[in-house]
Amino acid sequence: MVYSYSLKTHKREELIDITDYVQESIKKSNLIEGVVVVFIPHTTAAVTINENADPSVRKDITTFLSEKIPQSGHFSHIEGNADSHIKSSLIGPSLTLIVEEGRLLLGTWQGIYFCEFDGPRSRTFLVKTIKG
Ligand code: ZN
């Protein structure tokens, strides 16, 4: 099954916890053992896993990337969001995760984050559940 989720982002750059949505797709598909693929169908957004306890980690990630890849950098792309495209490719468009006993096998401090790099926008992400 493929599940599609809609998301509204509120800042130009932010990381939004989508772990519960991914877990929900596992439950909806009755997946007990297998994998899930999380895919972001956008060229200025991405998905990653990182710490779910201290929100300053999320802030540090966007701050670090913006310092290294400033929006005002010298780029060929004329839309003014070349930095967003580069950040999207660096972080990447997908994750593959293991499911056991109907739960994501994540570490205690891990959360799944939708990475917005050119918001605020209406966004989508896809979750594919695979038995195996
Ligand atoms: Zn662009």
Side-chain angles (χ1 to χ4, degrees), residues 77 79 81 85:
H77 185 55
E79 285 183 325
N81 63 355
H85 290 293

Side-chain angles (χ1 to χ4, degrees), residues 54-101:
D54 181 358
S56 66
V57 172
R58 282 179 262 167
K59 181 75 185 143
D60 285 342
I61 291 170
T62 54
T63 300
F64 176 84
L65 287 171
S66 290
E67 282 171 6
K68 301 302 173 195
I69 312 163
Q71 188 179 7
S72 60
H74 294 285
F75 302 112
S76 302
H77 185 55
I78 57 165
E79 285 183 325
N81 63 355
D83 64 311
S84 314
H85 290 293
I86 294 166
K87 290 164 191 164
S88 167
S89 276
L90 284 175
I91 302 299
S94 70
L95 294 172
T96 306
L97 301 154
I98 302 167
V99 176
E100 236 180 47
E101 297 178 359

Side-chain angles (χ1 to χ4, degrees), residues 2-127:
V2 178
Y3 299 93
S4 177
Y5 293 95
S6 298
L7 198 63
K8 274 222 182 300
T9 62
H10 302 285
K11 298 178 186 170
R12 184 163 195 271
E13 301 192 336
E14 63 180 317
L15 270 59
I16 298 168
D17 192 337
I18 59 169
T19 311
D20 288 347
Y21 296 100
V22 179
Q23 189 60 55
E24 182 188 297
S25 69
I26 292 167
K27 195 173 178 184
K28 278 190 200 163
S29 66
N30 295 314
L31 182 65
I32 304 302
E33 267 198 53
V35 295
V36 291
V37 176
V38 182
F39 182 74
I40 310 298
H42 301 290
T43 61
T44 55
V47 65
T48 192
I49 291 177
N50 218 300
E51 180 170 322
N52 62 10
D54 181 358
S56 66
V57 172
R58 282 179 262 167
K59 181 75 185 143
D60 285 342
I61 291 170
T62 54
T63 300
F64 176 84
L65 287 171
S66 290
E67 282 171 6
K68 301 302 173 195
I69 312 163
Q71 188 179 7
S72 60
H74 294 285
F75 302 112
S76 302
H77 185 55
I78 57 165
E79 285 183 325
N81 63 355
D83 64 311
S84 314
H85 290 293
I86 294 166
K87 290 164 191 164
S88 167
S89 276
L90 284 175
I91 302 299
S94 70
L95 294 172
T96 306
L97 301 154
I98 302 167
V99 176
E100 236 180 47
E101 297 178 359
R103 303 283 311 166
L104 283 167
L105 272 193
L106 289 172
T108 306
W109 306 111
Q110 288 184 315
I112 304 166
Y113 291 93
F114 181 98
C115 305
E116 175 61 83
F117 294 123
D118 195 24
R121 287 175 186 250
S122 293
R123 297 293 203 174
T124 300
F125 64 93
L126 305 173
V127 180

